[in-house]
Amino acid sequence: MTELLRRAAALVPADARSDAGCSAADVLEYLDQDEWEFALDLLGDFDGIAWQTPEYWKLLAAAAEEMYLPSAWFHWRGAETRNGLIRVDLQLVPGARKTPISGAGVLRPLWDVGGGDLRTARMWVESKPELEPGGRAVVRLLPLSPEAWRHLAEGDVITMHEAPPVAGEATVIQYHGCWGDTTAR
C-alpha cells in the first residue's frame, strides 16, 4: 500500500498543491510517519485533471482497497480523466421525486443536452451523501456517451429526466473535455 501511494505521489508535479495547500513532498513525509490514510486523503485532494491520469486514480483506488476504505470516488475520478469533467448546479423540481438521490454515483438519469436529445449520465453529488427531493447541489456527471456532450459550454442549461415531468434543471458550471479536446469550453 505504501508503494502504491509513493508511486501516486511521484506522478504529482512538484508545483501542484492539494486543496489544503500540501505538496507531494508533504505526502511523502506523512508516508514516512505511517500516516497512510491521511496521505491517501491528501493525494485525493490534488486537483489538476490535465496531469492526472487513469493510472493515478487506479493507484489511489488500489491503496484505499488495501486499507479497506471506500474506493468509489477514486474510480469515479479515473473515469473523469478518460471521459471528461462536467460539473453542474442542479436544482431538483419540487414534487418530482419522493426519495433522496444517493450521492455516490448510483443514479443514471436521462439528460436533455439540447434539442430534445436525451442522454444518460451517472451523477455524483458533491459535498453531501444524498440530495433531498426538491434540493439543490453541485453534481458531477459521467456521460455514457461522452462525445454527445462535447458541444456543452459553461452556462448552458440542461434538464434531468426520470419520468414526466422534468425532474431537475442544471446549469453547467465547469466543463473539461478529454476526448482529444483538453481545453475548457
Side-chain angles (χ1 to χ4, degrees):
M1 163 204 9
T2 302
E3 179 59 29
L4 295 169
L5 294 173
R6 287 186 187 285
R7 286 175 41 207
L11 296 173
V12 178
D15 61 341
R17 295 289 177 262
S18 71
D19 290 343
C22 294
S23 67
D26 296 319
V27 170
L28 294 174
E29 284 183 36
Y30 285 111
L31 289 174
D32 289 341
Q33 298 169 21
D34 294 333
E35 295 287 345
W36 307 310
E37 191 172 340
F38 191 68
L40 175 65
D41 286 344
L42 279 178
L43 287 167
D45 281 342
F46 279 91
D47 208 3
I49 202 164
W51 60 265
Q52 291 168 342
T53 64
E55 178 63 21
Y56 176 80
W57 295 109
K58 282 171 95 174
L59 290 168
L60 297 186
E65 289 163 5
E66 282 194 23
M67 289 188 271
Y68 300 101
L69 296 171
S71 62
W73 176 242
F74 303 123
H75 288 292
W76 181 278
R77 293 296 307 269
E80 284 181 340
T81 61
R82 290 186 302 276
N83 299 325
L85 170 65
I86 302 172
R87 293 177 66 232
V88 299
D89 181 6
L90 173 64
Q91 173 66 59
L92 294 178
V93 173
R97 281 190 69 86
K98 304 295 183 229
T99 60
I101 295 173
S102 168
V106 177
L107 188 67
R108 298 172 185 231
L110 293 172
W111 296 86
D112 184 342
V113 296
D117 189 15
L118 296 178
R119 299 295 178 151
T120 304
R122 289 175 49 203
M123 271 176 49
W124 190 288
V125 180
E126 291 186 0
S127 304
K128 50 171 82 176
E130 60 185 24
L131 178 56
E132 66 281 354
R136 183 177 183 170
V138 172
V139 301
R140 289 163 127 36
L141 301 178
L142 198 54
L144 193 58
S145 5
E147 63 284 348
W149 296 64
R150 54 167 66 174
H151 67 281
L152 291 179
E154 292 174 14
D156 285 351
V157 176
I158 60 177
T159 54
M160 180 178 135
H161 299 262
E162 292 184 280
V166 170
E169 184 175 276
T171 303
V172 177
I173 57 174
Q174 187 178 6
Y175 172 89
H176 189 38
C178 287
W179 313 281
D181 171 19
T182 57
T183 60
R185 293 184 179 250

